[in-house]
Amino acid sequence: MNRWGDIIKVALPLPFPLKIINAYLIEGKKGYTIVDAGLHTTEALETWKQIQQEVGFTWEDVEKIIITHYHPDHFGLAGTLQNLTQAPVYISETDWKQAMLFFDRESSLPDEMAEFYKKHGLPEAWVKQIPDHLRGFCRWVEPHPQVEFIRAGEMIELGDYPYQIYHTPGHADGHLSFYDPKRQLLMGGDFLLPKITPNISLWPKCHSNPLALFLETLAQMKDLAVKQVFPAHGQVFDFYQERISQLENHHKKRLQQIQKIVAERGRLTTADTCFAIFGQNLSIHNLRFAMAETLAHLEYLRQNNQIDGEEKDDIYFYIKPHS
Ligand SMILES: [Zn+2]
């Protein structure tokens, strides 16, 4: 357990390569605020119970639960924590809808995702694994909470301090970050991470150019005076603007790399491009992200008229532009 005054970092275990998600517990006169819940696993719930003992609070002391975005490692345990605490759960309306799109058992998204990847050139051996793999996440996000919506531009109290709510999309369409102007602290979720690059993925039925959205977010957020970032993965850090520049450079380089691959090959699918960058030795979990990340970059280039695209016999190809 790490603590910065009223803010306590809660490192929750994940059964993914990422291993840990940081939730935060913020102490205030009226009770405790939870920022991000974790995934619904026995281990994560046990960790919350341990923290409860270490810090010395009861479930009734929790006054609210804030979710930065809909991804399962943030949203998954929200319903369970709500049942225990009776606290309201706050999320953006966009990400509540996306949570239901991805994690409602009735959603047709898993099958549509398989079709989508097939169209983008993924070999059948992978495609057929996609629906079950995606549906496998449902159990980690159930039960679903009753939610209340919060919006960018509003203020919200986390503990004893008012925070400004910022819409920081790119990693997730409705991603929210929370800024305390007095102490210049940012609760950043997955918007800005100190070591890894937040995954920028293009999914069916979501924003069609998430990388453009993310680069806009970075540009818009860059001038904010931030002394400390509390991220959902990795250590609390202070090099806010430097980190934004690093991420801008990362995506610029990745775009150049992909443009070069398209120029050299002339005509190829997203899967071809993905395998050229990441290789084929991937788990289904990592493959899904590698495909979605590659597609986000290809679509950025295409929508920026730097490469062309065409659909032929139900397969989508990216093409070197005629010069
Ligand atoms: Zn995320």
Side-chain angles (χ1 to χ4, degrees), residues 177-179 184-188 191 224 226 228-230 240:
S177 299
F178 302 88
Y179 177 66
Q184 302 185 333
L185 307 181
L186 187 75
M187 284 282 149
F191 153 58
L224 199 66
V226 175
Q228 242 176 345
V229 183
F230 293 82
Y240 175 73

Side-chain angles (χ1 to χ4, degrees), residues 53 62 68 77 90 108 129 147 247 280:
Q53 292 199 332
V62 175
T68 57
L77 199 56
Y90 297 98
S108 55
Q129 296 179 53
V147 298
L247 289 184
Q280 294 213 33

Side-chain angles (χ1 to χ4, degrees), residues 100-112 135:
M100 293 306 102
L101 177 67
F102 276 80
F103 310 124
D104 186 315
R105 284 182 189 267
E106 303 299 311
S107 173
S108 55
L109 189 79
D111 299 310
E112 289 170 51
R135 289 199 178 96

Side-chain angles (χ1 to χ4, degrees), residues 18 68-74 171-172 175 189-191 198-199 232-233:
L18 217 43
T68 57
H69 64 294
Y70 77 94
H71 290 163
D73 47 338
H74 299 255
H171 174 73
H175 190 294
D190 282 352
F191 153 58
N199 183 274
H233 304 283

Side-chain angles (χ1 to χ4, degrees), residues 85-100:
T85 62
Q86 305 303 316
V89 170
Y90 297 98
I91 189 170
S92 71
E93 186 171 4
T94 302
D95 270 28
W96 168 250
K97 286 183 183 155
Q98 297 214 333
M100 293 306 102

Side-chain angles (χ1 to χ4, degrees), residues 20-290:
I20 297 281
I21 168 167
N22 304 327
Y24 293 94
L25 184 69
I26 304 176
E27 203 176 60
K29 290 188 199 83
K30 281 182 273 174
Y32 289 82
T33 296
I34 287 174
V35 180
D36 285 331
L39 198 66
H40 190 180
T41 62
T42 316
E43 292 78 9
L45 199 53
E46 278 310 310
T47 307
W48 273 117
K49 286 177 185 162
Q50 266 171 27
I51 290 289
Q52 217 185 357
Q53 292 199 332
E54 280 176 52
V55 176
F57 69 97
T58 65
W59 291 128
E60 290 78 47
D61 296 333
V62 175
E63 57 154 327
K64 56 174 86 119
I65 299 166
I66 311 280
I67 305 297
T68 57
H69 64 294
Y70 77 94
H71 290 163
D73 47 338
H74 299 255
F75 170 76
L77 199 56
T80 307
L81 290 181
Q82 184 173 54
N83 288 341
L84 292 164
T85 62
Q86 305 303 316
V89 170
Y90 297 98
I91 189 170
S92 71
E93 186 171 4
T94 302
D95 270 28
W96 168 250
K97 286 183 183 155
Q98 297 214 333
M100 293 306 102
L101 177 67
F102 276 80
F103 310 124
D104 186 315
R105 284 182 189 267
E106 303 299 311
S107 173
S108 55
L109 189 79
D111 299 310
E112 289 170 51
M113 184 88 79
E115 280 304 307
F116 182 73
Y117 280 164
K118 193 173 166 182
K119 187 177 93 180
H120 284 288
L122 195 66
E124 187 58 35
W126 291 103
V127 169
K128 64 180 186 197
Q129 296 179 53
I130 300 264
D132 283 351
H133 170 66
L134 255 182
R135 289 199 178 96
F137 282 87
C138 291
R139 67 195 154 100
W140 283 325
V141 298
E142 289 168 346
H144 300 155
Q146 297 285 333
V147 298
E148 290 174 39
F149 299 137
I150 44 176
R151 286 154 215 91
E154 294 175 353
M155 302 289 289
I156 190 164
E157 268 191 15
L158 309 184
D160 294 333
Y161 292 86
Y163 284 66
Q164 292 167 350
I165 306 177
Y166 281 85
H167 182 211
T168 48
H171 174 73
D173 291 354
H175 190 294
L176 298 177
S177 299
F178 302 88
Y179 177 66
D180 168 3
K182 193 165 177 220
R183 297 178 296 171
Q184 302 185 333
L185 307 181
L186 187 75
M187 284 282 149
D190 282 352
F191 153 58
L192 200 65
L193 305 172
K195 267 207 170 135
I196 56 170
T197 315
N199 183 274
I200 306 301
S201 292
L202 195 158
W203 308 114
K205 290 188 166 167
C206 299
H207 196 280
S208 64
N209 196 349
L211 182 55
L213 205 56
F214 187 59
L215 294 175
E216 272 167 39
T217 299
L218 292 178
Q220 279 168 11
M221 294 294 284
K222 207 170 187 171
D223 293 331
L224 199 66
V226 175
K227 282 197 183 129
Q228 242 176 345
V229 183
F230 293 82
H233 304 283
Q235 304 295 325
V236 172
F237 65 101
D238 59 7
F239 47 102
Y240 175 73
Q241 266 145 1
E242 187 188 335
R243 189 58 188 146
I244 288 183
S245 301
Q246 287 169 356
L247 289 184
E248 286 172 337
N249 280 333
H250 163 84
H251 288 292
K252 208 157 119 194
K253 279 198 191 133
R254 182 49 59 80
L255 285 167
Q256 284 166 352
Q257 181 192 14
I258 290 182
Q259 201 176 4
K260 193 163 165 254
I261 293 170
V262 177
E264 281 167 4
R265 302 268 294 263
R267 186 175 189 271
L268 78 178
T269 64
T270 301
D272 296 332
T273 318
C274 174
F275 294 148
I277 300 169
F278 298 103
Q280 294 213 33
N281 191 14
L282 299 167
S283 68
I284 184 73
H285 183 83
N286 287 340
L287 171 97
R288 194 163 60 84
F289 284 107

